[in-house]
Amino acid sequence: MSRWKELTGGTSGEEYAARFAALAESGKDLHGEARFCAALVPPGARILDAGCGTGRVMLRLAELGYDCVGVDLDASMLAVARKTEPELPWLQADLAEFDPSALGIVADFDLIVAAGNIFPLLAPGTEPEVTRRLTAALKPGGLLVAGFGLDRAHLPVPPSITLDEYDAYCATAGLTLLDRFATWDAAPYDGGGYAVSVHRR
């Protein structure tokens, strides 16, 4: 079972969406992840939102002209995404078993984004397989972008993956580290408790 399901029971979609709606109403900028991705690939590029949740990041990328696909295990989160924009492809799948052909999509993404602490919330032990499967869905030269917390202050669960471990999983999958930042606004990484990593296939 994923740490996310243990944490939420897989029924928190509406609550999660309401929390971010309140943040938006308060004036908080919620589009840092989408801006970050848009700076890496041009409009029209194919982007997979891995662990898309209620669709916050993918919806903004679609508005900016990207060809997007969202995948998530949590049906309650996907229900919110589908209600918000039913025309976009929202697919339910476990990232540890992610098989584009079985889902009827082509594995030729220019960029895959895993925002929202996806890797620390996976089922324990599946991190290498998830990395391998996401890498296989990238075009040669494609980018895997992952942002996640590294300490308790930045996570809703105890820390479960280090940057050294993540980089090792990426290297084994055939990825090369391009850059690392402390935030989705591309602040330099200084060893803090949150990191955004960009790897290339």
Side-chain angles (χ1 to χ4, degrees):
M1 180 184 293
S2 71
R3 295 179 182 92
W4 172 257
K5 191 167 184 180
E6 289 179 356
L7 183 69
T8 67
T11 60
S12 64
E14 292 289 349
E15 177 186 341
Y16 188 88
R19 179 160 60 90
F20 276 93
L23 288 172
E25 288 175 11
S26 74
K28 185 172 178 60
D29 177 18
L30 301 181
H31 299 309
E33 299 99 327
R35 267 199 313 276
F36 185 95
C37 294
L40 295 174
V41 290
R46 288 196 80 217
I47 294 181
L48 175 69
D49 189 348
C52 63
T54 58
R56 177 178 57 86
V57 176
M58 177 167 144
L59 288 165
R60 180 59 178 161
L61 287 167
E63 288 176 357
L64 294 173
Y66 291 90
D67 179 10
C68 298
V69 176
V71 60
D72 203 284
L73 181 59
D74 189 326
S76 73
M77 304 284 272
L78 289 171
V80 174
R82 288 172 178 145
K83 185 165 61 175
T84 304
E85 185 48 81
E87 297 304 313
L88 291 177
W90 308 102
L91 307 175
Q92 186 173 9
D94 186 337
L95 292 178
E97 300 173 357
F98 179 58
D99 180 354
S101 62
L103 295 169
I105 58 175
V106 179
D108 66 348
F109 291 96
D110 298 289
L111 184 147
I112 296 175
V113 57
N117 288 318
I118 298 305
F119 277 88
L121 292 169
L122 295 171
T126 65
E127 299 90 349
E129 181 65 9
V130 170
T131 308
R132 186 190 71 78
R133 287 178 178 267
L134 293 181
T135 299
L138 286 169
K139 288 179 178 176
L143 302 175
L144 175 61
V145 179
F148 54 83
L150 302 163
D151 59 22
R152 198 63 176 90
H154 293 86
L155 289 167
V157 295
S160 60
I161 182 172
T162 67
L163 287 179
D164 284 345
E165 289 169 337
Y166 178 64
D167 286 343
Y169 302 150
C170 288
T172 299
L175 297 171
T176 302
L177 178 65
L178 287 186
D179 217 334
R180 178 160 285 141
F181 303 93
T183 67
W184 290 100
D185 291 327
Y189 182 69
D190 58 2
Y194 190 89
V196 180
S197 305
V198 183
H199 288 78
R200 173 174 285 154
R201 182 177 181 187

